[in-house]
Amino acid sequence: MKTIIAACSQNLSGSRASIQTALRTLLAVPWPSQRDVGSALQLLAVLQWVLSFLLLGIVSLLLLIYLLFTSLWLIPVLYVAWIIFDWDTPEKGGRRLPCLRRWTVWKHFRDYFPVKLVKTHDLSPSHNYIIGSHPHGILCVGAFCNFITGSTGFEELFPGIRSSLTTLAGNFRLPVFREYLMSGGLFPVTRRAIGYLLSQKGTGNAVAIVIGGAAESLSCRPGVTTLILKNRKGFVRMALRHGAFLVPSFSFGENDLFRQVVFEEGSWMRSIQRRFQKMMGFAPCLFYGRGLTSCHSRGFLPYARPITTVVGEPLAVPKAENPSRELVDRYHELYISALLKLFNENKTKYGLSESDELHIL
């Protein structure tokens, strides 16, 4: 009996010693620093944004189709009925949720790159504005962060101005994704939607349009600044019809966020991209960024590169309900001149050299 008791005591003593050793080892492990925690939150903020824009619409559509063949079939039926009833809402002012702009997650999103907004001139609340956003890049990070979230202080820099951003109309045909876009202040890039914002919402509205669109994303690569703008005149015509001032803006660093496989003009892959773009409204790009676990691995997340969006001087535009071609061409040329001036005055401040030029196609 004494032998058994001694053995048990020895085992208990050994267990206590093991537990104490384990606790000491655990306490000796350095806790994540505030910087490490901040970096993790920034990475998660960017991850949820990328997944939302790339997968939310498709996943929601597939889920609704799946539910149709289950006992929960009534849910997709009622939601489809709601979409039919609510079909025109995106083009009639949408359903913006101001609280969404103030989400803390957008501050972590901003700090990941980081993104900065620079003001060069005041915007009077007594006018409406069309802000041309350049370049398109792959995912329009600068335009989204500055004109949709409140993380870079747009409302503080331009008091009395309500900013919104336009995107492909097809995005508002995807279930759930359309609600997500509208809640943030995104609208279809259509005449009807832009006209509503500039005519039915009073003054102090700034509608940001990524003018280069899908075609410009095909030319997106680091070290090259090419804009698709020469034949893009619809935004000028809309500005003239509503008397909205034109404002150029440029996001320095936007093209550095991803690496893209660029196919030469005339190649069969380039022709496939062009055809797909005409049919679907966007171009399929073969691009990659950093991985989730390491910035040295390849993945679908953007690289952490600084983005500085500079908002230029507003160009006063007269109101003409039926602007002539000559009038449109005149203000289109004035806009391009203002954009070139903005680029040249700021390029050396935000990562480019004096010899870098802005190519406009």
Side-chain angles (χ1 to χ4, degrees):
M1 179 63 72
K2 290 182 179 179
T3 303
I4 295 174
I5 293 173
C8 290
S9 299
Q10 186 175 2
N11 288 338
L12 289 173
S13 177
S15 298
R16 283 195 295 270
S18 298
I19 293 173
Q20 290 172 353
T21 302
L23 287 174
R24 281 196 295 268
T25 303
L26 180 63
L27 293 174
V29 174
W31 288 89
S33 64
Q34 187 174 359
R35 181 178 179 180
D36 293 334
V37 173
S39 297
L41 291 174
Q42 292 167 16
L43 191 64
L44 290 174
V46 173
L47 176 63
Q48 66 82 27
W49 180 79
V50 172
L51 292 178
S52 296
F53 272 82
L54 294 182
L55 298 178
L56 181 58
I58 299 299
V59 171
S60 299
L61 179 60
L62 294 176
L63 179 61
L64 288 178
I65 293 174
Y66 168 75
L67 291 177
L68 276 174
F69 300 95
T70 68
S71 59
L72 301 174
W73 60 269
L74 188 59
I75 294 177
V77 169
L78 290 176
Y79 184 71
V80 170
W82 161 253
I83 288 181
I84 295 173
F85 174 79
D86 195 54
W87 191 259
D88 292 334
T89 298
E91 294 187 324
K92 292 184 176 180
R95 235 183 340 265
R96 186 196 298 255
L97 295 177
C99 61
L100 194 65
R101 294 173 64 95
R102 298 189 294 269
W103 274 4
T104 303
V105 68
W106 301 132
K107 294 181 180 180
H108 298 304
F109 180 86
R110 171 201 65 195
D111 294 338
Y112 170 84
F113 298 97
V115 182
K116 182 181 178 182
L117 181 64
V118 176
K119 168 186 173 180
T120 61
H121 293 78
D122 291 329
L123 298 182
S124 171
S126 60
H127 299 289
N128 284 325
Y129 303 89
I130 290 181
I131 300 177
S133 180
H134 311 275
H136 182 283
I138 297 294
L139 293 179
C140 304
V141 172
F144 176 85
C145 191
N146 288 299
F147 303 128
I148 291 301
T149 79
S151 61
T152 56
F154 183 92
E155 294 178 350
E156 290 74 25
L157 288 174
F158 303 101
I161 304 296
R162 297 176 296 275
S163 63
S164 56
L165 179 65
T166 58
T167 185
L168 289 173
N171 289 331
F172 294 87
R173 305 297 179 247
L174 293 171
V176 181
F177 191 44
R178 70 191 294 272
E179 321 299 341
Y180 178 75
L181 294 177
M182 283 193 291
S183 64
L186 284 104
F187 301 89
V189 60
T190 61
R191 291 183 182 179
R192 187 181 181 189
I194 297 172
Y196 188 94
L197 292 171
L198 296 177
S199 62
Q200 303 296 321
K201 293 286 187 176
T203 59
N205 300 292
V207 182
I209 304 175
V210 186
I211 298 168
E216 194 171 279
S217 65
L218 295 178
S219 302
C220 169
R221 59 184 185 271
V224 178
T225 311
T226 302
L227 305 183
I228 307 297
L229 184 57
K230 276 188 178 179
N231 296 319
R232 300 292 176 98
K233 300 179 181 179
F235 73 103
V236 177
R237 189 172 289 106
M238 287 296 297
L240 286 165
R241 285 178 178 171
H242 297 281
F245 288 16
L246 289 169
V247 183
S249 72
F250 196 93
S251 294
F252 294 91
E254 183 73 45
N255 285 349
D256 298 330
L257 304 182
F258 293 95
R259 301 291 184 268
Q260 181 181 181
V261 180
V262 179
F263 301 100
E264 297 298 327
E265 291 292 345
S267 65
W268 65 275
M269 280 299 296
R270 190 70 161 190
S271 63
I272 290 176
Q273 289 177 316
R274 294 293 188 192
R275 290 178 183 176
F276 193 92
Q277 176 192 332
K278 289 181 180 179
M279 290 188 298
M280 305 300 294
F282 64 94
C285 301
L286 297 180
F287 65 90
Y288 65 89
R290 60 156 291 176
L292 181 61
T293 57
S294 170
C295 60
H296 301 293
S297 61
R298 291 189 179 183
F300 57 89
L301 294 178
Y303 292 107
R305 303 285 188 269
I307 303 173
T308 304
T309 301
V310 184
V311 179
E313 182 179 4
L315 173 62
V317 174
K319 186 173 183 179
E321 292 187 6
N322 296 297
S324 64
R325 180 181 297 179
E326 292 76 15
L327 189 62
V328 172
D329 289 343
R330 177 189 172 192
Y331 279 93
H332 186 260
E333 291 175 1
L334 290 173
Y335 177 83
I336 291 178
S337 298
L339 177 61
L340 288 170
K341 179 183 177 183
L342 178 71
F343 177 82
N344 290 323
E345 287 180 349
N346 292 278
K347 60 184 180 181
T348 57
K349 299 177 184 178
Y350 305 114
L352 300 181
S353 65
E354 188 64 42
S355 60
D356 286 321
E357 297 181 354
L358 185 61
H359 303 282
I360 298 179
L361 303 178

